[in-house]
Amino acid sequence: SDLSTLNSAISMYEDDVSGSGIGTSSVVYTSLPSSQSNCGDQGLPTLPASSSYACASSQNYRSTNGSGWIPVDFQAISQGSPLGTLPVDPVNQTSTGLYYTYMASGNSYELTAGMESQKYKQVCANENGKYPDLCMEGTNLALAPIDFYASSSFLGSLPAGTLLSNTTTTFGNTTAGQTSTLTFSGNANQIIDLYNNFTGFPAWGADLYLKSSTGTILGATGAGYSAWNGYVVSQYALPYTGTYTLELMPLSTNIGDANVYLDNHIYSNEGTLAFGTSTVLSITQTNQTAIDTFSGTAGQVIDAYTTWTGFPGYGATLYFENASGTDLFCTGSGCNGWGGQVASQYALPYTGTYIVKLQPIYPNTGSVSVELENHIYTTGTVPFGATTTIPIAEYYASGLYTFSGTAGQSISLYNTFTGFPTWLADLYLESPTGTVLAANGGNYNTWNGYLVSNYSLPSTGTYTLNLVPVYPYTGTAEVYLTSP
C-alpha cells in the first residue's frame, strides 16, 4: 500500500541521512495540493489550537526533494530516492475525507489514510483501534490529533439563493465527534443572510461557524455564542471573491443537524413617506429589508404612528434613522412597543433626508403602515375663577395653555376629561422651567379631580397646562383654576 511504501522510504531516510529532521512537531502535513501553505482553502476539519495544517503547491506536492507534501528530502539518500513521486490518495479530496496526512515529532512519525472500503476500515480498526476510520503507519501512532476521516464528512456545496423557493439545506453528523462542512461561493461586497436552526442536538450542544478560506471565523451561532438558533450573519458583506465554509462542530458526543438558509439580501426601496398620510412598507421575502425615506427640517416637531399586519408580535423591527444610518427611534423587536405611537413631539435634528427601514425577524413576513404627522400645538390662556376648555381635535396635537403666577401664591386646579376613553390622556402642570409639578390621567392615579389643591407656586413666572392624548384619541380637558 501507499502508506507502507512511504513508511519504508522514511525509515530508509532516517537510517541513511543522519542529523536531518523529518518534519515540524504539531504540524499536520496533508497530501492535498493548495496555493495556501496553511491549506486554508481546503475546508479541512478543525484542529486543536496547538496544531496546524501544511500543504504543498500543486507544482510541488508530489516532489521527493523535500518540497512535496512530506517535508523529507528523499533524494538525499545515498542510493537515491526510493520514490519516483510521493504517492497520494487516488481520490485526494477533502470532500470525501480520502487523503493522506503525515505528522512528525523528533525522530518519530505517523502516516494516516482515510479508508472508504468497509473491509479496509475493519482491518484498520483491528490494527490500531484508536481511530477506526483511519489506517495508520509509522513509529508513533499517537501523533494524529483528530480522526481526519470521521471529522471530514464534507457534504457538498451549499446552494446560494434558495430562499425564494423556501429551500432548507440540512447537514449534520452521524458519528460522535464528527465535524461536517459545506461550502459556497461568493463575491466581494455581496450582501448575504445566513440563518440556522439546530435539530437533534441538545440545546447549546454544537457550534456552527461561517469561515473564510483562511479559517477566520466570520460569524457563528451555538454553544459558544449568544444565539442558539438564529442568524449566523445578517446583511453581511462578504470580504472577498471566493469560497466560504460552513463548519458544524458538535460538543462532546452530541449528534444532530444544522438546517441553514443562505440567500442574497434584498433591499427594496418602497418610495417616499408623505406627511399626513399612511404609507405601507411590505416584506414578502424573509431575506428582504424594505426602505422608505422622508424629508424634514431642523427643529421640525413630528409624531410617528404604526400599524402592523401579518407579522407575529415583535416579529419585525421598524427603524427611523438619520442619513448615515444611526437609529433615532424604533418600534418592534428590541424596541419599546409594538405598533401605535412610535414617536411623540420628536424634534428633527437637521434639515435633509431621513430613512425608515423595516427589518423582519426570520422567517416572518408582513407589512407595516406608517403615518407621519407634524405635531400641532393648541394654545391659550387659563384665567382664574372660570372654567377653561383645552381641546384636542387631532391625535397628533397637544394643548398648551398658560397662566401667570407668583412665588408663594396658593392655587387649586381641578380638571375633568371629556371625550377621551378613561385613562387615555394626560394633563400636566408644568413650572416656568418645564418641570412637571403635578398630573392627572392614564399614567397617574387620578383621572378626573384636583391636580393640586392649595398648592404654593415655587416661583414667579408663566405656568403651563399640557394636555397630551394617547393615540388615536381626541377629546377635551375642562379646567377650573382658583387662587384664594
Side-chain angles (χ1 to χ4, degrees), residues 115-129:
M115 290 290 105
E116 187 173 24
S117 163
Q118 293 298 320
K119 173 183 175 181
Y120 286 111
K121 280 185 181 181
Q122 187 60 47
V123 171
C124 291
N126 291 337
E127 287 179 348
N128 61 71

Side-chain angles (χ1 to χ4, degrees), residues 403 411-415 429 449-453 465 479-481:
F403 66 92
I411 69 166
S412 294
L413 183 62
Y414 189 93
N415 88 279
L429 172 61
Y450 281 103
L451 269 77
V452 291
S453 178
L465 288 172
V479 297
Y480 187 74
L481 176 64

Side-chain angles (χ1 to χ4, degrees), residues 392-442:
I392 296 294
E394 304 287 351
Y395 50 80
Y396 46 90
S398 57
L400 298 177
Y401 276 56
T402 62
F403 66 92
S404 296
T406 58
Q409 181 180 357
S410 178
I411 69 166
S412 294
L413 183 62
Y414 189 93
N415 88 279
T416 303
F417 292 107
T418 303
F420 295 110
T422 303
W423 307 114
L424 294 179
D426 290 302
L427 180 65
Y428 302 92
L429 172 61
E430 299 174 353
S431 73
T433 60
T435 302
V436 175
L437 304 175
N440 279 350

Side-chain angles (χ1 to χ4, degrees), residues 159-169 260-264 266 284-287 362:
T162 57
L163 195 57
L164 296 180
S165 57
N166 297 316
T167 299
T168 304
T169 301
V260 292
Y261 287 91
L262 172 70
D263 214 338
N264 294 306
I266 298 171
T284 59
Q285 302 170 134
T286 56
N287 60 320
Y362 182 89

